[in-house]
Amino acid sequence: ALIGAVYRIHGLSAVHQWLTPHWQCSAAAVLSDPHRANCKSALQEWSQGQGLGLPNYTCEEMSQRHGDPRRFRCTVSSPPQVEAEGWGGSRRDAEQQAARAALDQLAGI
């Protein structure tokens, strides 16, 4: 709505002038670390790039309470010795957290 209001009052050039610096900053951040928001994908690419196949994820529901940030527990493993754990309010969140922990492990090696 805000972009529409700026466009309606000041025109398209005002929208470009206002948003372009923000988009350039966001694009630079994404390009510098394209997997920042998707650690599971980054771990999979690393694992396959090493010829190790896909990481193995195991998830279990620890709570049935909606909104519980520790509702799901997920572990991920990948040969030779990568094993990590993550928690989340959904299976996807728990898998992402486990993959992030695994990538952090790999960065420390």
Side-chain angles (χ1 to χ4, degrees), residues 4-106:
V6 171
Y7 171 74
R8 185 167 178 120
I9 295 168
H10 298 288
L12 188 57
S13 64
V15 172
H16 280 292
Q17 183 179 12
W18 178 49
L19 286 179
T20 298
H22 172 71
W23 284 336
Q24 287 174 336
C25 181
S26 297
V30 169
L31 291 173
S32 71
D33 186 6
H35 298 296
R36 177 175 43 180
N38 194 343
C39 294
K40 191 174 173 184
S41 176
L43 181 61
Q44 178 178 323
E45 286 188 24
W46 174 85
S47 180
Q48 288 184 314
Q50 300 294 312
L52 303 173
L54 294 172
N56 183 36
Y57 291 88
T58 304
C59 292
E60 59 183 316
E61 188 174 23
M62 305 303 288
S63 161
Q64 293 187 353
R65 197 179 88 223
H66 291 283
D68 183 353
R70 293 179 64 90
R71 183 175 178 186
F72 292 93
R73 176 182 172 269
C74 182
T75 58
V76 61
S77 60
S78 180
Q81 297 176 348
V82 176
E83 189 165 323
E85 174 182 273
W87 293 82
S90 68
R91 288 184 195 276
R92 184 182 188 286
D93 288 344
E95 288 174 346
Q96 287 291 335
Q97 293 305 318
R100 179 180 304 277
L103 289 170
D104 289 346
Q105 254 183 46
L106 292 169

